[in-house]
Amino acid sequence: MSRAACNMAQVLLSEEVKDMGYSVVLLHPGFTRTEMTKKYEHIWDIEGAVEPSVGAKRVLYEVIKNGMDTTGAFINCEDGLRIPW
């Protein structure tokens, strides 16, 4: 599934389950120090890359914080702000 298709699926799912009382948000954990970003290791400190445990805590915080008012939104877990579609 492409990134765009994933985004659309999330928005459609959020609309489908909203009346059931479920909130669906798409979360961006931020720049995380993983094997996938290792090629950018030289800028990890400059760009503020965090350890996976910190990224996971950010995601968990946003999951707990967000509710029906944010269903269908794309949230940046670094600052809690919505990422525009």
Side-chain angles (χ1 to χ4, degrees), residues 3-79:
R3 178 80 252 154
C6 180
N7 292 348
M8 182 53 72
Q10 178 263 337
V11 171
L12 293 173
L13 178 63
S14 73
E15 288 297 319
E16 188 172 323
V17 299
K18 186 184 342 183
D19 291 339
M20 296 178 213
Y22 296 107
S23 174
V24 179
V25 293
L26 192 60
L27 301 171
H28 182 305
F31 192 21
T32 307
R33 296 174 188 237
T34 64
E35 285 298 314
M36 193 165 85
T37 64
K38 191 145 181 81
K39 65 182 175 183
Y40 303 111
E41 185 175 21
H42 62 285
I43 61 167
W44 276 353
D45 290 330
I46 297 166
E47 296 295 327
V50 297
E51 293 297 323
S53 62
V54 174
K57 287 177 187 174
R58 288 176 174 175
V59 168
L60 184 58
Y61 174 78
E62 293 299 330
V63 166
I64 293 168
K65 181 181 102 174
N66 287 290
M68 294 308 293
D69 58 321
T70 56
T71 194
F74 189 11
I75 307 290
N76 183 345
C77 294
E78 290 179 323
D79 55 17

